């Protein structure tokens, strides 16, 4: 990046505040739809950080894949499983919150000590800059060729697996009883519901 | 130039927020979102190291592209599993998914 020192620092500060604020919103807001939209904010701010880190191609990939695919997928998931149910409070739930907060703060303190305690071997080589896209292409087709092909197989497996897991079983040769109102719906094979409350009573 | 430690601290903070959301949230979709936060924190770490320790070859950027593609696959399969389990148990509460609990 050919930006002045101060401009870089100010944009890093703004992006860091955006990342932390929106991530806290994702975790803490009670409404799940707001969380999903704030998750898009996290992804976009991280793409901005990638631009600061001389990685334009990965920033574009981040916006395309995360904001364009993953975030939309999560929004569709929220629409499909939209159930506004009040969660029954867990016994001694505040202990869980306190313990998790303590563990997370401790983990952050540990990571911060490691970050400041290590002497990083900062390289003084010239960053690849806009040539990075060409370099990524060369990497993908020479020394990372096997992982690249495996990634395509993995994506195919994930696609087929997601379809198999999420589809509903329809009965093909049965017409609905009320032919007018159910004209656009196929009869679905009934599935036995596993009782959600039955086995939780004994503990 | 911004010190490398700033990026690492930001990634560590994002990771800890993701862990907190992963453990404490009751809604199963929010758990999936927390996993995305974790993956993004790791990716930010990879990109920071790539830019500061090995800036000329862009190997870390190729790694980050792999991580992004695998995260997309993970989220698709995760949402399919959530849909299936929601259809079975008719709830989105993580505390109700205790079939394997002993």
């Amino acid at each position: 990046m050919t930006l002045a020192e101060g401009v870089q620092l100010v944009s890093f500060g703004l992006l860091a505040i955006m990342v932390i604020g929106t991530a806290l919103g994702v975790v803490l807001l009670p409404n799940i739809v707001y969380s999903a939209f704030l998750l898009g904010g996290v992804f976009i701010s991280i793409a901005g950080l990638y631009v600061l880190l001389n990685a334009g191609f990965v920033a574009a990939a981040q916006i395309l894949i995360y904001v364009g695919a993953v975030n939309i997928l999560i929004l569709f998931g929220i629409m499909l499983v939209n159930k506004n149910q009040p969660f029954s409070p867990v016994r001694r739930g505040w202990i869980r919150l306190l313990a998790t907060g303590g563990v997370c703060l401790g983990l952050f303190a540990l990571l911060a000590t490691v970050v400041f305690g290590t002497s990083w071997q900062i390289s003084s080589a010239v960053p690849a800059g806009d040539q990075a896209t060409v370099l990524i292409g060369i990497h993908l087709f020479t020394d990372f060729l096997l992982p690249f092909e495996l990634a395509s197989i993995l994506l195919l497996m994930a696609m087929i697996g997601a379809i198999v897991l999420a589809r509903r079983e329809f009965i093909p040769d049965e017409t609905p009883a009320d032919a007018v109102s159910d004209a656009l719906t196929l009869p679905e094979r009934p599935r036995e519901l596993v009782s959600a409350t039955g086995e939780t009573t004994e503990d | 130039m911004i010190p490398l430690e700033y990026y690492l601290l930001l990634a560590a903070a994002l990771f800890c927020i993701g862990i907190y959301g992963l453990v404490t949230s009751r809604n199963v979709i929010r758990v999936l979102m927390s996993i995305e936060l974790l993956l993004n924190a790791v990716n930010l770490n990879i990109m920071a190291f790539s830019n500061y320790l090995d800036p000329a070859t862009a190997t870390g950027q190729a790694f980050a592209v792999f991580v992004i593609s695998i995260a997309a696959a993970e989220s698709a399969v995760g949402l399919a599993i959530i849909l299936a389990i929601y259809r079975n148990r008719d709830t989105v509460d993580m505390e109700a998914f205790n079939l394997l609990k002993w």
Side-chain angles (χ1 to χ4, degrees):
Chain A
M1 272 314 259
T2 53
L3 281 179
E5 189 85 2
V7 179
Q8 281 196 40
L9 204 58
V10 167
S11 25
F12 175 80
L14 283 179
L15 287 170
I17 290 171
M18 276 172 64
V19 167
I20 297 296
T22 46
L24 281 176
V26 168
V27 170
L28 297 177
L29 278 187
N31 193 337
I32 188 84
V33 181
Y34 295 164
S35 297
F37 280 110
L38 283 179
L39 190 69
V42 177
F43 293 154
I44 290 177
S45 341
I46 286 185
L49 285 172
Y50 289 167
V51 171
L52 273 184
L53 285 168
N54 301 310
F57 176 76
V58 185
Q62 165 96 3
I63 288 191
L64 278 178
I65 297 176
Y66 270 115
V67 185
V70 173
N71 203 9
I72 300 297
L73 198 65
I74 285 178
L75 277 171
F76 269 99
I78 289 172
M79 280 191 263
L80 285 175
V81 299
N82 190 10
K83 184 166 191 180
N84 260 329
Q85 55 171 8
F87 294 131
S88 58
V90 189
R91 271 185 307 142
R92 293 193 284 278
W94 58 274
I95 293 183
R96 180 187 308 196
L97 290 188
L98 273 187
T100 315
V103 166
C104 289
L105 282 181
L107 181 63
F108 181 70
L110 178 72
L111 289 173
T113 354
V114 171
V115 163
F116 284 113
T118 313
S119 60
W120 303 106
Q121 314 257 322
I122 304 288
S123 162
S124 57
V126 181
D130 289 341
Q131 283 299 306
T133 311
V134 180
L135 284 175
I136 291 172
I138 291 173
H139 277 307
L140 284 187
F141 283 101
T142 54
D143 45 353
F144 289 144
L145 182 62
L146 183 64
F148 180 71
E149 300 293 342
L150 283 181
S152 60
I153 293 178
L154 176 91
L155 285 173
L156 180 67
M157 281 161 53
M159 186 177 77
I160 296 174
I163 292 171
V164 168
L165 278 173
R167 73 165 178 178
R168 292 182 286 185
E169 277 189 69
F170 293 116
I171 308 170
D173 51 351
E174 189 176 306
T175 51
D178 184 3
V180 179
S181 68
D182 293 342
L184 293 177
T185 58
L186 284 173
E188 189 178 343
R189 192 179 298 280
R191 221 186 250 245
E192 54 193 281
L193 282 179
V194 183
S195 148
T197 54
E199 51 283 52
T200 57
T201 49
E202 75 261 20
D203 57 0
Chain B
M1 206 166 175
I2 306 170
L4 169 65
E5 285 85 359
Y6 289 6
Y7 283 104
L8 299 186
L9 274 187
L10 179 63
L14 191 60
F15 192 82
C16 292
I17 293 173
I19 294 262
Y20 182 80
L22 187 69
V23 176
T24 60
S25 55
R26 299 284 298 276
N27 196 324
V28 64
I29 303 263
R30 202 188 296 266
V31 173
L32 206 67
M33 293 200 253
S34 303
I35 295 176
E36 299 297 330
L37 286 186
L38 294 182
L39 285 163
N40 268 287
V42 173
N43 247 345
L44 187 58
N45 243 345
I46 293 179
M47 300 295 297
F49 281 132
S50 163
N51 189 42
Y52 282 88
L53 307 187
D54 183 24
T57 62
T59 314
Q61 300 190 17
F63 266 85
V65 171
F66 280 122
V67 175
I68 288 177
S69 67
I70 289 172
E74 175 263 343
S75 100
V77 176
L79 267 174
I81 291 175
I82 287 175
L83 280 186
I85 202 168
Y86 173 75
R87 223 175 278 142
N88 264 342
R89 310 211 63 158
D90 199 28
T91 180
V92 289
D93 189 2
M94 280 300 282
E95 299 294 323
F97 302 152
N98 52 7
L99 276 173
L100 293 181
K101 191 171 158 189
W102 54 282

